């Protein structure tokens, strides 16, 4: 009976579980910020019509804000 009471589970498995939980919580917390960054490349109409796509032309909004020529930022 004393053997069962004093026995602990493998601490390595508990550490892996805690790390997986920490990674899952971090992903859930960071997801809205990543979503905002991705949607910043789209226009308002693009967000409302197709929120889950990222077109090549969606980057035109940022290219109008900052122009880069020969490695120098031109405003």
């Amino acid at each position: 009976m004393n053997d069962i009471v004093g026995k602990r589970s493998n601490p390595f498995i508990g550490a892996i579980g805690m790390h997986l939980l920490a990674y899952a919580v971090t992903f859930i917390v960071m997801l809205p910020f990543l979503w905002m960054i991705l949607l910043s490349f789209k226009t308002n109409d693009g967000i409302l019509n197709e929120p889950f796509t990222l077109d090549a032309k969606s980057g035109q909004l940022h290219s109008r804000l900052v122009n880069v020529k020969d490695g120098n930022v031109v405003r």
Side-chain angles (χ1 to χ4, degrees):
M1 183 113 170
N2 290 336
D3 293 334
I4 296 173
V5 173
K7 197 157 198 151
R8 299 180 95 193
S9 63
N10 189 351
F12 183 70
I13 293 174
I16 290 175
M18 290 303 291
H19 279 89
L20 290 176
L21 179 66
Y23 288 131
V25 169
T26 302
F27 177 74
I28 290 169
V29 169
M30 293 300 294
L31 192 61
F33 295 105
L34 295 173
W35 188 254
M36 282 191 306
I37 291 169
L38 287 175
L39 289 182
S40 73
F41 289 100
K42 300 184 84 155
T43 61
N44 290 339
D45 292 333
I47 291 171
L48 295 174
N49 293 332
E50 299 174 2
F52 299 110
T53 61
L54 187 61
D55 300 333
K57 63 183 178 179
S58 62
Q60 293 175 353
L61 180 62
H62 287 284
S63 66
R64 284 185 285 163
L65 297 175
V66 177
N67 292 325
V68 178
K69 293 183 181 180
D70 299 324
N72 298 322
V73 177
V74 180
R75 295 179 189 211

